Amino acid sequence: MRSGENKPIITADDLTARYGSNLIFSNVSFQVNRGEVLVIVGESGCGKSTLLRILIGLEKPSCGRVLFQGNDIVNSGEDVLHNYRQNIGVLFQSSALFSSMTLNENIALPLTEYTNLDTETINLIIQMKLGMVNLSGYGNHYPAELSGGMKKRAGIARAMALDPIVLFFDELSAGLDPVTAVELDELIIKTNEALGTTIVIVTHELESICKIADRVIMLDKTAKGIIAEGTPQELKENSADPRVRSFFLRQLPQKTAQE
């Protein structure tokens, strides 16, 4: 852990998710510790993004709880959820920037929605956030005028607008060239170290996982839940589970003689 205390800020308690009769996962329980970078991994269709959306409060699980600093965001009223949203920042795979708005206007959105700050203060915050992601001078640009990596950085700036306690990223480096992906990894590390921000990331990029993760949880589509938890090094070197070893060593599981 690069910053913060080894205390849970988010607790997932016995979560089950279904889409109709299709069970995605069940009995999923884990903690996100304050100040850590937690990475959620697993094969396609195992429920990584569904779990992230439940943690964010965008979807409700079939059963179970998500506690943020002791408050249940799943089964409580809108006031608890509203307070939670003021303390988190989210960046999805597409960056989700509004194409008809400049970067300044995109970053201003959460500030105008959740605060009573005056225009001058909001503008100062916007410039500070753009500077943090190396986009100073691009505030009047529209998303269509930016490269893929710049859009991701702009999305991070917007996610950080309210100085969130927790940041959630879904496949942050998907579709980016290796150099840009490394730059985003460095930005994550810098944000975590400098601000103590807790970060939860869904990704399948092994090099990124090994570089940024303090801890990893691995979901499995067949097991319908978590099959491994630990540091990247622990899972890579010590796991006896062939599914875990296959992921971290990028090897196909060994076939048995019968197969």
Side-chain angles (χ1 to χ4, degrees), residues 104-179:
N104 285 341
E105 292 167 337
N106 267 281
I107 298 170
L109 275 177
L111 293 166
T112 55
E113 181 175 354
Y114 289 105
T115 76
N116 295 315
L117 296 172
D118 58 74
T119 301
E120 183 178 357
T121 302
I122 287 175
N123 288 335
L124 286 173
I125 292 172
I126 291 169
Q127 299 315 308
M128 181 175 66
K129 299 306 179 184
L130 286 174
M132 289 176 67
V133 298
N134 298 320
L135 285 176
S136 295
Y138 284 89
N140 290 321
H141 285 64
Y142 289 89
E145 300 175 302
L146 306 178
S147 68
M150 294 170 76
K151 288 178 185 177
K152 290 289 179 77
R153 283 188 276 140
I156 293 173
R158 187 177 66 180
M160 294 171 59
L162 294 171
D163 293 326
I165 299 172
V166 185
L167 282 171
F168 294 94
F169 298 138
D170 188 11
E171 297 288 3
L172 182 61
S173 57
L176 300 179
D177 64 87
V179 173

